[in-house]
Amino acid sequence: MPTLNQYLILSGILFSIGTAGVFLRRNVITILLSVEIMLNAVNVTFVAAGRFHNIVDGQIITFFVMTVAAAESAVGLALIIALFRHRETLSPDAFTFLKW
Amino acid sequence: MDLIVFYILASITVLASIGVVSQRNPMHSVMLLIVSFAGLAGLYVQLDAPFTAVTQIIIYAGAIMVLFLFVVMLLNAQTEDEVIPARLGPHAMRLAALLSLLLAIELVEGIVPLARETFREDAGTVSSISSVAQIGSRLYDTRYYAFAFEVTSVLILVAMVGAVVIARRPRSDEMTHDERQMTKTPNGEMPNVE
């Protein structure tokens, strides 16, 4: 059986990959996907910590994270569709019209 | 044996996630993310959380990723723009990669010195932690998560209405002048919208 640390390290690596995606990609859809990777990294931490303390609360919070992720991606994708209609591109640098 | 399974699943997850971040085609990114979620579901099974594993597959890989695929196909954006904006400078990408590598090193370095805790393995603990009945009674108990659960339903409702309102094509009489300019067809007529 792997130790708690190994799960936490896996979670840290996944979170960093997600951060790298947000930093590096020039495509709003991939940026949203990277946010999903980060949310899943957090889920791993919750489930592993819940298993370690022998409580189910970790799994329950995971469900709430999933719900928030679903809501977030629904609104985010709607925004992407609305923006794509105006600019015909997915590059985040094109969407600067809220800047002062 | 368990450790080998863990390393296989963890490497599938990590490699697929790296693939998601390094692909130029969003379609491939979405497919690889589904692979990554499948690996995570395997890890949840190993953590005695079978219900979480199933919801991971059904909700994440099933529902959310289908939503993403749908949008990727709808927009038909095969690749991202090559141009790197001049104001970021030529080293922006390298700096970003360095920063996220630094974050990974710091996170791992912070976790490694913690005590190497092992999980309790006796059958009673395992069956109580992995039982759906236990999760359900906690989730719907008013002393624990019932309120949060109800609030979640409001959140979903708001997200649903928000998504519909944002993605809706505005009617021509509601548009501002700028929007009318942007949605004008090349021959100067308003597109026929209902």
Side-chain angles (χ1 to χ4, degrees), chain B residues 90-147:
Chain B
H91 300 300
M93 293 295 235
R94 246 168 286 167
L95 187 67
L98 189 74
L99 277 177
S100 38
L101 196 67
L102 213 67
L103 177 69
I105 291 170
E106 280 184 17
L107 280 174
V108 171
E109 211 178 39
I111 294 163
V112 163
L114 298 176
R116 294 176 186 283
E117 312 278 7
T118 49
F119 296 106
R120 231 183 294 169
E121 290 285 5
D122 53 300
T125 313
V126 170
S127 69
S128 84
I129 198 88
S130 62
S131 88
V132 182
Q134 179 90 13
I135 296 172
S137 58
R138 263 280 162 122
L139 186 60
Y140 298 115
D141 193 329
T142 45
R143 284 165 302 164
Y144 294 104
Y145 294 103
F147 179 70

Side-chain angles (χ1 to χ4, degrees), chain A residues 1 3-7 10 14 16 25-26 36 40 43 51-52 54-55 57 59 67 69 85 89-90, chain B residues 7 21 37 44 47-48 52 56 60 80-81 104 114-115 117 120-121 125 129 135 138 145 152 167:
Chain A
M1 189 75 182
T3 59
L4 177 63
N5 283 29
Q6 284 166 312
Y7 285 102
L10 170 70
L14 280 180
S16 313
R25 287 270 71 110
R26 319 261 90 223
E36 299 290 335
N40 272 282
N43 278 352
R51 175 70 182 82
F52 176 67
N54 300 315
I55 46 174
D57 297 48
Q59 297 180 49
T67 327
R85 211 176 269 154
T89 175
L90 287 176
Chain B
Y7 278 124
V21 171
F37 287 164
Y44 291 151
L47 279 169
D48 300 310
T52 310
Q56 173 85 6
Y60 256 122
E80 67 186 71
D81 300 354
L114 298 176
E117 312 278 7
R120 231 183 294 169
E121 290 285 5
T125 313
I129 198 88
I135 296 172
R138 263 280 162 122
Y145 294 103
T152 304

Side-chain angles (χ1 to χ4, degrees), chain B residues 28-180:
Chain B
H28 296 166
S29 292
V30 175
M31 293 299 182
L32 279 167
L33 195 55
I34 294 174
V35 174
S36 162
F37 287 164
L40 279 179
L43 286 174
Y44 291 151
V45 170
Q46 213 186 15
L47 279 169
D48 300 310
F51 189 54
T52 310
V54 170
T55 35
Q56 173 85 6
I57 293 291
I58 293 176
I59 296 181
Y60 256 122
I64 301 182
M65 284 304 115
V66 168
L67 194 67
F68 270 98
L69 265 187
F70 196 67
V71 170
V72 170
M73 288 177 167
L74 193 70
L75 299 184
N76 194 23
Q78 288 300 321
T79 182
E80 67 186 71
D81 300 354
E82 292 293 332
V83 283
I84 296 165
R87 65 192 155 78
L88 286 177
H91 300 300
M93 293 295 235
R94 246 168 286 167
L95 187 67
L98 189 74
L99 277 177
S100 38
L101 196 67
L102 213 67
L103 177 69
I105 291 170
E106 280 184 17
L107 280 174
V108 171
E109 211 178 39
I111 294 163
V112 163
L114 298 176
R116 294 176 186 283
E117 312 278 7
T118 49
F119 296 106
R120 231 183 294 169
E121 290 285 5
D122 53 300
T125 313
V126 170
S127 69
S128 84
I129 198 88
S130 62
S131 88
V132 182
Q134 179 90 13
I135 296 172
S137 58
R138 263 280 162 122
L139 186 60
Y140 298 115
D141 193 329
T142 45
R143 284 165 302 164
Y144 294 104
Y145 294 103
F147 179 70
F149 183 78
E150 294 299 331
V151 170
T152 304
S153 64
V154 178
L155 173 77
I156 293 199
L157 183 70
V158 170
M160 206 167 73
V161 174
V164 170
V165 169
I166 291 168
R168 185 184 61 129
R169 199 182 282 273
R171 288 205 308 274
S172 57
D173 56 315
E174 290 176 355
M175 283 184 193
T176 61
H177 179 71
D178 279 356
E179 281 175 333
R180 218 167 285 147

